[in-house]
Amino acid sequence: MKLFTAVLATETNTFSPICIDRRGFEASLYAKPGEHPATPTLCSAPLTVGRRVCAEKGWSLVEGTAAWADPAGLVNRQAYESLRDEILEQLRAALPVDGVVLGLHGAMVADGYQDPEGDLLARIRDMVGPDVLVCAELDPHSHLTEKRVAAADFFVVFKEFPHTDFVDRAEDLWRIAVDTLEGRVKPTMSVFDCRMIDVFPTSREPMRSFVDKLHSIEANDNDVLSLSVIHGFMAGDVPEMGTKMIVVTNSKAEKGDRLARSLGLELFANRGRHMMKQLSVDEAVTRAMAAADGPTVIADMWDNPGGGTAGDATVLLSEFIDRGCVGVAFGTIWDPIAVQICMAAGEGAEISLRFGAKSAPGTGSPVDGRVTIVKLVRNAEMRFGESYAPFGDAAHICLNGIDIILNSVRAQSFDPSLFSVMGIDPAQRKILVIKSTNHFQASFSKIASQILYCSAGTPYPNSPADTLYRYAREDIWPMMKKPHG
């Protein structure tokens, strides 16, 4: 057998002012064929798992380009087209192949392309013909379009949010691909449109029990090859935005359709109950300050670079400064220019600095103050599961007794190592303020005395019923209160 694999992924917040060009991919991950490291990133696990699977089977694996850009706004047309065409040329040179196994995200939007993944998959299908296996792993915060479903044999989607299972799901993807190529199964994909958009953290109920139920069905029903939920991505203003249920059966289309509908309606019945409780800035700060034990973790959940925002909002920081709080550490505030100034000044220097709140309305005001530069790190990284997430050149500064990490590469706060690499012991701080919606939960919950979710400012369109969409459907909940009748 001869297989082809490649990766092209980012998550596009169409409301974000931060556009992505080719350099955006190169700064996050750009690996030429055969140069991807052994450790996978979020969307490149199909490539690294594929290496092992094909080596064990004695099959040939042709690697194409692997490119990932950290979530942001619209992708530059030339950047998308050049990366797409690069991968297509690599596939063309590899033909004939028995299968194409891809790592995608599923929420990319490019200038001139509302459905880049659908465009890529359709071109691949046209190139390899109707009988060659085409499959991909997707992030659940994506858009499942009809064009993608028509072009692919099946999709496997991360089940967990936080996305702790991207390698496990890549294993599922390859297991089904191998069984298909060796003639044991014939994957048939059923999709149910839940006609809703919501946030589905699997670290809490009711989504925890729902995902456990999916695993149980997969383990006990021999007809079911895979079950996946496309959560949807509410910051992606595209025509087919919304939650979908995917059931992949072994050639049991009718059964798959029934199961997809049943599970999809179960999700819909819990609409509005999935998202964590959100506190105002005043409530979050008051509760954190009153806590007897630390650290209290406050998630600035809507200024999340993992959702395409800048990560430079200062609303919470300003509240802590105004209240004269100490024992607080902030990770992070994105400000490449402020980092550059700190780098030039050097560790130990005391300088006047303005930082933060440059990207968009709703992020607060820039902070001015006399700061001490505590620690500088070039090319800083934090852990994310078994992988590492870069946050660029970074500066640990201290202002009025508050420790603040300034970073030059946008990244959400995945892990307490974000603080420790910058010389801050996170376990010894009374309060940790981080930029993330839920990916932080798996690691920070191990050290936190409590976790508070705070809605601070409006850098992210987090209320679909009130968001001024141009392209997204209006016949889904919560835009339409009863879309299922």
Side-chain angles (χ1 to χ4, degrees):
M1 294 286 180
K2 182 180 181 184
L3 285 298
F4 178 83
T5 187
V7 180
L8 182 55
T10 191
E11 181 181 66
T12 301
N13 178 339
T14 57
F15 299 89
S16 172
I18 304 167
C19 294
I20 292 292
D21 60 8
R22 177 102 182 193
R23 291 174 298 176
F25 287 90
E26 292 167 352
S28 300
L29 171 70
Y30 175 76
K32 294 179 180 179
E35 295 183 1
H36 191 287
T39 302
T41 60
L42 191 66
C43 292
S44 66
L47 188 152
T48 57
V49 171
R51 285 175 176 170
R52 193 204 77 244
V53 170
C54 288
E56 290 174 353
K57 302 294 294 184
W59 293 355
S60 172
L61 181 67
V62 179
E63 294 184 18
T65 293
W68 154 264
D70 286 308
L74 201 67
V75 176
N76 170 284
R77 178 193 288 260
Q78 191 276 333
Y80 165 65
E81 291 181 342
S82 67
L83 290 166
R84 175 200 67 190
D85 293 347
E86 190 174 313
I87 290 170
L88 291 174
E89 284 304 313
Q90 293 160 350
L91 172 59
R92 184 173 288 108
L95 293 177
V97 297
D98 297 287
V100 178
V101 183
L102 301 173
L104 305 174
H105 182 286
M108 184 189 300
V109 183
D111 180 24
Y113 296 88
Q114 290 185 320
D115 183 13
E117 290 90 347
D119 173 64
L120 173 64
L121 285 164
R123 291 171 186 267
I124 288 173
R125 176 58 72 195
D126 288 345
M127 185 182 297
V128 301
D131 299 324
V132 170
L133 176 69
V134 177
C135 61
E137 183 180 34
L138 300 174
D139 188 297
H141 297 118
S142 56
H143 314 295
L144 190 66
T145 66
E146 291 183 5
K147 190 171 187 177
R148 299 177 195 184
V149 173
D153 290 280
F154 68 94
F155 296 112
V156 172
V157 183
F158 315 154
K159 285 184 173 65
E160 300 292 344
F161 175 40
H163 302 329
T164 55
D165 64 330
F166 55 93
V167 174
D168 292 335
R169 300 292 76 78
E171 296 280 0
D172 290 347
L173 183 78
W174 274 98
R175 170 181 52 79
I176 299 169
V178 169
D179 286 348
T180 302
L181 292 169
E182 293 184 336
R184 287 185 289 275
V185 301
K186 183 179 180 181
T188 302
M189 187 158 52
S190 298
V191 176
F192 178 75
D193 183 354
C194 301
R195 295 179 69 176
M196 65 187 291
I197 185 67
D198 206 345
V199 176
F200 302 91
T202 60
S203 51
R204 64 189 302 274
E205 296 294 351
M207 200 61 186
R208 178 69 264 150
S209 294
F210 187 82
V211 169
D212 291 342
K213 179 177 180 176
L214 300 187
H215 283 296
S216 177
I217 294 171
E218 288 175 336
N220 294 292
D221 191 327
N222 292 332
D223 291 331
V224 176
L225 304 178
S226 175
L227 300 173
S228 298
V229 181
I230 294 288
H231 295 191
F233 185 55
M234 65 176 65
D237 186 8
V238 295
E240 294 179 73
M241 181 265 282
T243 303
K244 311 283 175 66
M245 189 73 218
I246 301 174
V247 175
V248 182
T249 61
N250 182 12
S251 195
K252 295 288 192 299
E254 291 186 4
K255 180 175 180 176
D257 292 347
R258 290 195 303 271
L259 183 57
R261 176 180 175 81
S262 173
L263 292 169
L265 289 176
E266 184 175 335
L267 269 181
F268 183 78
N270 280 319
R271 63 196 180 280
R273 294 182 54 225
H274 296 95
M275 197 183 303
M276 59 290 288
K277 176 179 173 56
Q278 300 168 52
L279 303 177
S280 68
V281 172
D282 177 71
E283 290 173 321
V285 173
T286 299
R287 284 182 56 177
M289 291 174 61
D293 300 316
T296 291
V297 174
I298 301 178
D300 189 354
M301 60 185 296
W302 298 123
D303 189 30
N304 174 16
T309 66
D312 70 345
T314 60
V315 178
L316 269 166
L317 176 59
S318 296
E319 183 73 12
F320 278 108
I321 292 173
D322 291 345
R323 295 201 193 189
C325 301
V326 294
V328 184
F330 270 75
T332 60
I333 291 180
W334 178 65
D335 195 327
I337 300 302
V339 171
Q340 189 176 29
I341 292 170
C342 292
M343 287 286 181
E347 289 184 359
E350 184 178 314
I351 63 173
S352 295
L353 189 67
R354 166 171 284 194
F355 60 92
K358 295 182 175 69
S359 65
T363 58
S365 300
V367 174
D368 294 298
R370 190 81 179 165
V371 308
T372 300
I373 301 169
V374 180
K375 187 177 178 65
L376 300 169
V377 177
R378 294 282 187 187
N379 302 313
E381 294 180 322
M382 69 184 118
R383 293 198 65 87
F384 178 35
E386 298 302 313
S387 301
Y388 288 88
F391 57 100
D393 293 348
H396 167 192
I397 63 173
C398 186
L399 172 64
N400 298 346
I402 298 175
D403 293 292
I404 303 156
I405 299 172
L406 306 176
N407 59 318
S408 56
V409 171
R410 293 179 312 107
Q412 66 176 301
S413 312
F414 289 114
D415 185 87
S417 58
L418 163 70
F419 292 99
S420 56
V421 77
M422 299 304 301
I424 300 170
D425 183 350
Q428 298 304 311
R429 291 299 188 272
K430 179 179 175 63
I431 300 168
L432 302 174
V433 182
I434 59 174
K435 306 274 189 176
S436 181
T437 304
N438 199 49
H439 278 311
F440 73 92
Q441 203 275 343
S443 57
F444 276 93
S445 62
K446 297 174 183 177
I447 67 167
S449 62
Q450 64 175 333
I451 293 175
L452 306 177
Y453 295 85
C454 181
S455 181
T458 55
Y460 183 97
N462 57 68
S463 177
D466 303 315
T467 301
L468 298 177
Y469 293 111
R470 293 189 297 165
Y471 304 108
R473 301 155 52 192
E474 297 179 352
D475 65 340
I476 64 174
W477 181 90
M479 290 79 106
M480 178 183 285
K481 296 303 180 184
K482 294 184 179 180
H484 283 288

